[in-house]
Amino acid sequence: MAMTKPGARPSNSRFSSGPCAKPPTWSLEVLKDAPLGRSHRAAVGKDKLKAAIDLTRDVLGIPADYRIGIVPASDTGAVEMAMWSLLGERPVQMVAWESFGAGWVSDVIKQLKIDASEHIADYGHIVDMAALDYNQDVVFTWNGTTSGVRVAGDPIPANRTGLTICDATSAAFAQDLPWDKLDVTTFSWQKVMGGEAAHGMIVLSPRAVERLEFYTPPWPMPKIFRMTKGGKLIEGIFRGETINTPSMLCVEDYLFALNWAKSIGGLDALKMRADANAQAIWNFCATRDWIDNLAVNAATRSNTSVCLKFTDRRITDGAAFAKAIAKRLEVEGIALDIGAYRDAPAGLRIWCGATVETSDIEAMLPWLDWAFQTEINA
C-alpha cells in the first residue's frame, strides 16, 4: 500500500554537507556593512580581517600563543599549506578513514614523494589513533566528512616530539578540539558556521612555528604556501594581512556567523545544537530495521556529517536505491543535497551542524520514512 505523505515540512530543507545551511537568523541584510569595492589592505579591510581572527579565537577558545591565519583555497588550501611547509623534517604517518584523508595520503606520497607510513581504515571504521607513533609527524582528519566517523577519547600524548597536523573542517565549532595536542589545525568557513566557500583557516601551535622557522623543505614552495621569509614567520598573515586577496563579502558573512555563535552561547551552544540534530537521526535509525549509521562504533559517530546506510535485504542496487531516495526528497522540497559523497559507500549524508534547526531534522525524518516505503514498493 502507498504510504501517505507527511503533513509537516521542514522550514529549511538545506542539509548539504558543504556549503552548509546559513545560521537561522541570516539574511542578505547582514552583509550591508561589507566594505565592497575597497582594498582589503585599507584600514577598514584590515580591521574586518583581524576581527575574524580574534572572534575565531574567542569562540573556539584557541590559546593566546597560537597563531591563526586566513588562507586561500578553503580547508584544502590550509591542509596543503601545512603539509608542503612542515613535512619532511622527520618520518611521517598518514592516517585516513575516508576520502579527504585518503587525498592527503596521496598528495604526500605521490606529489611530495615522502616515504610515509600509511594507516588506513575502511568507511565506518577508524584507525587506532592511540597506537600511532607521535614522535613522528602525524597527519589526520578529526571528523571524516564523507564517512561520519570522528576521533573519540584522548589518544594524542602530551609529550610527543612530532607534529600533529589535523584537518578539522567538519569538527571545528561542533566538537571539542584538544588544542594542546594539535600543532596545526585547519578548517573552512563553509561547514559548521555556514559561511561562504574559498577561504581556509590555519591554526599553528608554538611548536609548529618553531618547525617553520628552523626547517626548510627541499622542494620549491609556491607563493600561496609560504609562511616564512628569511627564516622568520610572516607575522602579518596572522594579523589578517592575507597572502592573496580575500572576498570582503565572505569575510562579512563569516563575522555575522561568529557573532551569531556568541549570541547563542558560544562553543557550548554550538555543540549542543549539533548533538541534538544528530541524536534525532540516531533515534530514528534505532527504531527502524532498514537504515543504520555508517559508523560502526557509536562512540565515533559524527555529530555533523551523519552518514547512513540502507540495510534492507530487498535492496539489490544500493547506489541506485539511495539516489532514488535522495531524488524523491529533493523533488518534494524536503531535503536537498543529502546523497552520500561520490567516493563513499551508497547511502545518505545529512548535515547536522549547528546552523541546522532540530525541528527541521524532525520534520524531515517522517518524509524519509515515506520515501523509503514508496521506493521499496516501487
Side-chain angles (χ1 to χ4, degrees), residues 231-254:
K232 292 295 182 182
L233 191 72
I234 303 173
E235 292 286 0
I237 294 173
F238 307 96
R239 294 192 297 262
E241 298 167 15
T242 54
I243 295 171
N244 69 334
T245 305
S247 163
M248 297 312 298
L249 194 64
C250 293
V251 171
E252 194 72 21
D253 189 67
Y254 182 52

Side-chain angles (χ1 to χ4, degrees), residues 266-290:
L267 182 58
D268 286 342
L270 295 174
K271 291 187 298 182
M272 288 177 61
R273 288 175 64 89
D275 287 346
N277 291 336
Q279 190 64 55
I281 297 178
W282 299 340
N283 292 344
F284 176 87
C285 293
T287 58
R288 285 151 181 84
D289 59 4
W290 49 266

Side-chain angles (χ1 to χ4, degrees), residues 278-294 298 301 306 308-309 311 365 368-369:
Q279 190 64 55
I281 297 178
W282 299 340
N283 292 344
F284 176 87
C285 293
T287 58
R288 285 151 181 84
D289 59 4
W290 49 266
I291 194 166
D292 200 2
N293 204 293
L294 184 61
R301 290 175 181 170
V306 176
L308 305 174
K309 59 186 177 183
T311 57
L365 290 171
L368 178 54
D369 249 337

Side-chain angles (χ1 to χ4, degrees), residues 190-254:
Q190 64 185 355
K191 295 294 184 181
V192 178
M193 300 309 288
E196 290 301 298
H199 297 76
M201 302 293 285
I202 189 166
V203 182
L204 304 177
S205 74
R207 298 178 70 248
V209 173
E210 182 181 26
R211 171 78 66 86
L212 282 169
E213 294 186 333
F214 287 94
Y215 166 67
T216 302
W219 42 76
M221 187 68 65
K223 178 181 179 180
I224 61 170
F225 291 168
R226 295 176 202 155
M227 291 185 279
T228 60
K229 183 176 182 180
K232 292 295 182 182
L233 191 72
I234 303 173
E235 292 286 0
I237 294 173
F238 307 96
R239 294 192 297 262
E241 298 167 15
T242 54
I243 295 171
N244 69 334
T245 305
S247 163
M248 297 312 298
L249 194 64
C250 293
V251 171
E252 194 72 21
D253 189 67
Y254 182 52

Side-chain angles (χ1 to χ4, degrees), residues 133-157:
D133 180 2
Y134 289 92
N135 292 321
Q136 300 181 9
D137 293 338
V138 178
V139 181
F140 67 103
T141 57
W142 191 273
N143 184 99
T145 306
T146 66
S147 69
V149 176
R150 64 172 169 179
V151 175
D154 186 22
I156 303 173

Side-chain angles (χ1 to χ4, degrees), residues 110-126:
K110 294 181 179 179
Q111 303 301 321
L112 295 179
K113 301 188 184 305
I114 294 175
D115 186 18
S117 62
E118 300 178 47
H119 304 265
I120 311 294
D122 291 334
Y123 280 88
H125 299 267
I126 193 169

Side-chain angles (χ1 to χ4, degrees), residues 1-5 370 373-374 377:
M1 293 179 62
M3 183 176 178
T4 302
K5 291 182 180 180
W370 167 83
Q373 297 298 340
T374 303
N377 289 338

